Each structure stands twice: as structure tokens, then as C-alpha cells.
Amino acid sequence: GRTFQYRVLLKIAESAAGLEADLGQLERDELILELRREPELEYIFKHALTQEVAYESLLPARRQARRAPRIVTPSTGPRPRG
């Protein structure tokens, strides 16, 4: 979707400071907007096309992992279905 949470980015970012700088630059470039702060910090791509380009730039394996439904079982935890 066009929205994404800060906490998700923070998990994959090299540093919180670098993430803050990058998000700030994207906001200044008017590519993303802060959607809300509560209950958690969330951003939205200003245009759907920007979101599409960002999504398409992900590595194919990463893109597939994002789309794969997950099954959670007590013994195995989350795992891709299929």
C-alpha cells in the first residue's frame, strides 16, 4: 500500500539517525508525507506512482516475501505458505 510505519523501517535501517535523515529528505522532496503520529508514526507516499517505483526497486525475492501469506503455528512460528 501507499502507507508504511516508522517501526518497520527502523527494523531494517542501519541506524535511527540515518533513517531520520532519509525520511526528512523524502519529506522535503515531497515524495512522502507524515500521515499520523499516534498510535504510531506512519507515512504515506504522496503519489501512488512513487510507491509503485519504490516497490518495483525491491529485489524480487524481497518483493515476493512481502506478498507471501504467512501461516503461524505454535511449533514453527511464521513461515511462508505455498
Side-chain angles (χ1 to χ4, degrees):
R2 286 181 51 204
T3 63
F4 54 95
Q5 290 80 26
Y6 177 83
R7 68 176 164 80
V8 174
L9 295 178
L10 191 55
K11 288 182 180 183
I12 61 172
E14 292 181 18
S15 73
L19 177 59
E20 300 275 337
D22 291 342
L23 289 171
Q25 185 62 52
L26 291 170
E27 284 184 289
R28 285 187 296 281
D29 291 343
E30 298 182 2
L31 295 173
I32 65 171
L33 303 168
E34 187 178 294
L35 185 61
R36 66 178 59 95
R37 287 191 175 264
E38 298 295 330
E40 71 177 306
L41 185 52
E42 187 172 11
Y43 293 90
I44 187 169
F45 286 99
K46 189 170 180 181
H47 302 286
L49 184 58
T50 306
Q51 179 270 325
E52 186 176 327
V53 169
Y55 179 74
E56 290 298 322
S57 72
L58 293 173
L59 295 173
R62 216 165 171 189
R63 214 174 26 241
Q64 184 178 6
R66 283 193 47 181
R67 291 175 33 182
R70 298 204 172 264
I71 299 171
V72 177
T73 64
S75 60
T76 62
R79 62 181 170 84
R81 181 174 64 178

